[in-house]
Amino acid sequence: MARKVQFVETVLRDANQSLIATRLPYDKFEPMLETIDKAGYYAAECWGGATFDVCLRYLNEDPWERLRKIRAKMPNTKLQMLLRGQNVLGYSHYPDDFVRLFVQKAVENGMDVIRIFDALNDVTNMKVAMEATVKAGAIASGTISYTTSPVHTHKKYVEMVKELKEMGASTICIKDMAGIMGPQEAYDMVSAIKDAVDLPIDLHTHSTTGLAFMTYLKAVEAGVDIIDTAISPFSGGTSQPATETLAYALRQLGYEVDLDDACTKKMADYFKTVRDDFVKDGTLMPKSMATDTQCLTYQVPGGMLSNLLSQLKQMNALDRFDEALAETPKVRADMGYPPLVTPTSQMVGVQAVRNVLDGQRYKTVSKEIKAYCRGEYGKTPAPINPEIQKQILGDEKPLTGRYADSLKPVVEDTRKKLGDLAKTDEDVLSYIAFPNLAEKFLEERKAKEENVATYSIVEC
Ligand code: CO
């Protein structure tokens, strides 16, 4: 019998985040939820990552309410979210009580699959979220942040996968956020992991460099169970490759694909008009849809290249681009080869620019790099260059244990502090994650409910 390959649809989260900075409001995708639900996906990725932040910051939506509304319209398909381990949805580590309650409430509000990763692949930063996911009865998808370096061997990745299984992972995801994984590498890595553990494997990549279709085909040959794709109008470029194209190709190669073509056609027709609106208002830029092979030469994610450019431009130093680019892998090596993903990609990029413009390496250091050298982001894949660590920390001693162990519980105090502004635990969680944004949101909601006119503050 033909082997089955399953699909995760990313249009509601990663495709939305990668192409249009997560600006898709609920109302714009609501008419398609029932169709997505009937289409036969393994799961629909629809929450987490930047969606939470953007709902509060730009869309004036309660992210929890969005999740409940999606759940109500999609009773048959697993809902999936992306969670940054101990960072949850933010950029630094949170206390364990927050991580636990967040995961519990995400599941209570309808989440089925929680994809948990850590920017350094330090599994101790994933443990609490993994445990909470299993406890809440959801699927914990233990995730590898894929990168290449002298210390990132298949052996290391396989060790990590075994640890994740022990922590309760019921699927494994290989997350190639930069789209730099080639077809042979996919074949070899999926084979190595398949040999080591008996868990379904999901491969997640981006079309940024143009490798994605080939990479998925070879991963499927090696036995990958699930691939992440985006409905065609929201596919390609910095997003995932197209759902319908892969369904077509895989069926032709003899694999079983459960997707209903009438549903994906309806979705494509609908999302084409949505995409066109975002092209018209300038949110979707042609650059995001293009193939960018520079990432292959420099082994840095596409987003990082554009960050380097805009930083240098701000400092009137665009002519130093080549030097800054050459400095980037050196900083990464000094820092013990972190995978370049939020937040490490920003930290390494900013430092490389500083080193070049200062004319002296590590003369100025951001507070994030300092915290990183103290061990606040976790264990680095290789040791940090000891001389540089000493130069940055002086006499301060780096942490030996898990940073979150030093953080005081935060939920109970926040609940008290917010009083009747927070009606539910979900409100408390939103506030801890994004205090300023959530406070404004909760106050506006309260004012609306009390039928008091709200005055928007105009910033001058
Ligand atoms: Co992604």
Side-chain angles (χ1 to χ4, degrees):
M1 217 181 82
R3 195 168 67 79
K4 188 188 282 194
V5 179
Q6 293 191 286
F7 286 60
V8 171
E9 175 60 51
T10 67
V11 66
L12 304 179
R13 208 285 300 175
D14 203 357
N16 168 21
Q17 184 170 330
S18 301
L19 293 181
I20 55 168
T22 333
R23 293 302 198 276
L24 197 55
Y26 175 80
D27 294 344
K28 279 237 180 190
F29 62 76
E30 196 254 346
M32 271 305 107
L33 290 177
E34 277 148 343
T35 309
I36 301 175
D37 192 40
K38 281 189 231 137
Y41 288 102
Y42 166 77
E45 194 197 33
C46 62
W47 214 61
T51 58
F52 202 95
D53 184 346
V54 173
C55 272
L56 289 169
R57 195 182 298 267
Y58 299 110
L59 303 175
N60 198 27
E61 278 184 47
D62 180 345
W64 299 98
E65 195 186 320
R66 173 186 280 211
L67 172 56
R68 287 189 293 271
K69 289 200 280 196
I70 297 174
R71 176 78 285 170
K73 294 254 176 190
M74 297 183 62
N76 304 305
T77 303
K78 287 197 271 295
L79 302 185
Q80 180 173 311
M81 74 171 291
L82 182 67
L83 191 101
R84 300 174 185 145
Q86 202 73 26
N87 289 9
V88 185
L89 303 171
Y91 307 99
S92 58
H93 286 192
Y94 288 102
D96 292 340
D97 66 330
F98 171 73
V99 179
R100 289 208 179 91
L101 186 62
F102 192 96
V103 168
Q104 183 198 326
K105 288 292 161 186
V107 177
E108 277 177 27
N109 280 279
M111 199 48 66
D112 299 293
V113 183
I114 305 193
R115 179 178 285 175
I116 301 161
F117 78 98
D118 175 65
L120 295 178
N121 285 327
D122 179 351
V123 293
T124 62
N125 291 335
M126 301 162 71
K127 193 164 190 256
V128 174
M130 298 278 295
E131 279 172 7
T133 303
V134 174
K135 192 175 165 207
I139 294 173
S141 186
T143 300
I144 295 169
S145 301
Y146 173 76
T147 190
T148 55
S149 88
V151 295
H152 287 91
T153 57
H154 287 164
K155 195 169 157 255
K156 272 272 166 68
Y157 283 134
V158 163
E159 275 168 26
M160 181 181 175
V161 163
K162 286 180 177 164
E163 285 179 280
L164 292 173
K165 188 181 177 187
E166 220 143 87
M167 286 180 182
S170 38
T171 66
I172 295 295
C173 172
I174 307 167
K175 178 178 158 65
D176 173 25
M177 50 276 172
I180 54 170
M181 179 184 273
Q184 188 62 47
E185 173 58 6
Y187 187 90
D188 294 343
M189 189 157 164
V190 170
S191 303
I193 296 174
K194 275 270 159 192
D195 283 347
V197 291
D198 184 22
L199 290 178
I201 302 178
D202 178 319
L203 179 59
H204 173 90
T205 189
H206 288 252
S207 296
T208 324
T209 61
L211 287 170
F213 283 116
M214 298 178 277
T215 302
Y216 276 159
L217 283 188
K218 291 301 282 185
V220 167
E221 268 183 36
V224 96
D225 302 276
I226 306 160
I227 53 175
D228 289 12
T229 61
I231 198 72
S232 52
F234 272 82
S235 72
T238 52
S239 175
Q240 275 72 47
T243 305
E244 308 95 298
T245 314
L246 271 150
Y248 183 92
L250 290 175
R251 279 184 186 133
Q252 191 173 83
L253 288 164
Y255 296 96
E256 190 189 326
V257 172
D258 276 347
L259 293 175
D260 180 315
D261 294 340
C263 289
T264 52
K265 163 89 171 56
K266 197 170 161 192
M267 286 165 63
D269 289 345
Y270 177 82
F271 279 109
K272 225 175 263 173
T273 63
V274 175
R275 178 194 61 192
D276 291 348
D277 290 343
F278 283 105
V279 170
K280 256 181 241 147
D281 73 11
T283 310
L284 176 54
M285 290 179 284
K287 167 176 110 193
S288 307
M289 300 300 294
T291 303
D292 180 356
T293 52
Q294 270 191 317
C295 317
L296 296 176
T297 317
Y298 302 115
Q299 298 280 307
V300 301
M304 238 183 115
L305 288 176
S306 46
N307 278 348
L308 278 185
L309 275 171
S310 69
Q311 256 192 81
L312 290 166
K313 202 170 160 190
Q314 271 174 26
M315 293 169 177
N316 255 332
L318 268 181
D319 57 321
R320 313 291 295 274
F321 181 67
D322 289 344
E323 285 168 84
L325 199 54
E327 175 66 9
T328 302
K330 291 181 196 158
V331 172
R332 181 172 174 243
D334 291 339
M335 293 298 123
Y337 297 107
L340 297 174
V341 60
T342 306
T344 45
S345 50
Q346 290 86 338
M347 284 153 55
V348 167
V350 167
Q351 191 60 49
V353 169
R354 284 267 47 106
N355 287 358
V356 166
L357 296 188
D358 287 346
Q360 190 189 329
R361 306 187 76 224
Y362 304 100
K363 187 179 166 202
T364 42
V365 169
S366 67
K367 70 175 196 308
E368 288 82 9
I369 285 280
K370 209 165 178 190
Y372 178 96
C373 288
R374 271 198 299 266
E376 290 182 16
Y377 288 83
K379 192 169 180 289
T380 53
I384 299 172
N385 180 327
E387 272 168 45
I388 285 158
Q389 192 174 23
K390 178 99 184 74
Q391 185 190 333
I392 292 171
L393 291 184
D395 291 333
E396 225 181 312
K397 286 272 163 289
L399 279 172
T400 45
R402 196 181 68 114
Y403 175 59
D405 287 338
S406 70
L407 301 174
K408 287 196 191 73
V410 68
V411 172
E412 211 32 65
D413 285 355
T414 311
R415 203 179 269 139
K416 275 191 206 130
K417 182 181 149 187
L418 288 176
D420 64 353
L421 193 57
K423 289 195 176 148
T424 59
D425 277 351
E426 285 81 347
D427 292 341
V428 175
L429 292 166
S430 298
Y431 181 86
I432 297 168
F434 299 100
N436 300 336
L437 297 176
E439 187 169 19
K440 184 168 170 275
F441 181 86
L442 296 175
E443 265 165 8
E444 282 176 4
R445 186 182 69 184
K446 193 176 172 204
K448 230 182 272 167
E449 282 165 5
E450 288 170 358
N451 250 340
V452 177
T454 52
Y455 300 94
S456 51
I457 299 157
V458 180
E459 288 188 321
C460 307

